[in-house]
């Protein structure tokens, strides 16, 4: 399984970006796809996750109402639409895939098996 993240960039506070994660190399019906982020000097933190089958999603409190995770099954791509961006959203964003996750473990990066490279999001004032 390979994950390829893209879409990061520099944006002013209040602006929007859409991240993409192209998925290849397997079948994903039993997978959960997640987005995590890591700022310099901080631990990697959960942002959002979506179940490939069914499409139910969950969000970190910090981004709920501003970010939306979605998937395109045909294109095998997971998206993270980020609106109303804040300075504190600045980080490297990573997509990840894991199988067999339950609701209580969706935010645990250790439960995800496959990771893409990070894409940098920088929010300026």
């Amino acid at each position: 399984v390979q994950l390829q993240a893209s879409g990061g960039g520099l944006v002013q506070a209040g602006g929007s970006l859409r991240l993409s994660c192209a998925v290849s190399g397997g079948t994903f019906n039993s997978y959960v796809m997640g987005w995590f982020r890591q700022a310099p000097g901080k631990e990697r933190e959960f942002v959002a996750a979506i179940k490939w089958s069914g499409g139910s999603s969950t969000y970190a409190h910090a981004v709920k109402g501003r970010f939306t995770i979605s998937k395109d099954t045909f294109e095998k791509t997971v998206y993270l639409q980020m609106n109303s961006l804040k300075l504190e959203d600045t980080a490297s964003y990573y997509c990840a895939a894991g199988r067999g996750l339950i609701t209580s473990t969706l935010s645990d990066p250790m439960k995800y098996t496959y990771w893409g490279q990070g894409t940098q999001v920088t929010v300026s004032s």
Side-chain angles (χ1 to χ4, degrees):
V1 176
Q2 292 85 42
L3 308 177
Q4 180 74 35
S6 62
L10 175 65
V11 63
Q12 285 192 323
S16 298
L17 278 177
R18 188 177 79 160
L19 305 183
S20 299
C21 178
V23 188
S24 62
T27 56
F28 309 102
N29 286 341
S30 61
Y31 278 83
V32 172
M33 306 300 300
W35 284 99
F36 290 79
R37 65 186 182 186
Q38 188 167 18
K42 295 188 176 181
E43 292 186 354
R44 189 165 297 190
E45 66 171 354
F46 171 76
V47 175
I50 188 168
K51 294 183 179 179
W52 195 269
S53 178
S56 60
S57 58
T58 188
Y59 298 88
H61 178 74
V63 306
K64 202 167 187 178
R66 301 188 297 121
F67 291 11
T68 302
I69 189 170
S70 63
K71 62 178 177 70
D72 185 321
T73 302
F74 180 75
E75 295 292 336
K76 292 187 178 180
T77 302
V78 178
Y79 301 100
L80 185 68
Q81 177 67 42
M82 306 185 295
N83 299 329
S84 302
L85 282 160
K86 303 177 181 180
L87 296 178
E88 52 264 41
D89 294 320
T90 295
S92 289
Y93 283 71
Y94 299 85
C95 60
R99 196 162 54 181
L101 277 72
I102 59 176
T103 302
S104 61
T105 62
L106 291 176
S107 61
D108 183 354
M110 299 297 292
K111 300 298 185 182
Y112 290 79
T113 305
Y114 303 102
W115 290 83
Q117 88 293 356
T119 185
Q120 179 67 34
V121 172
T122 303
V123 183
S124 65
S125 58

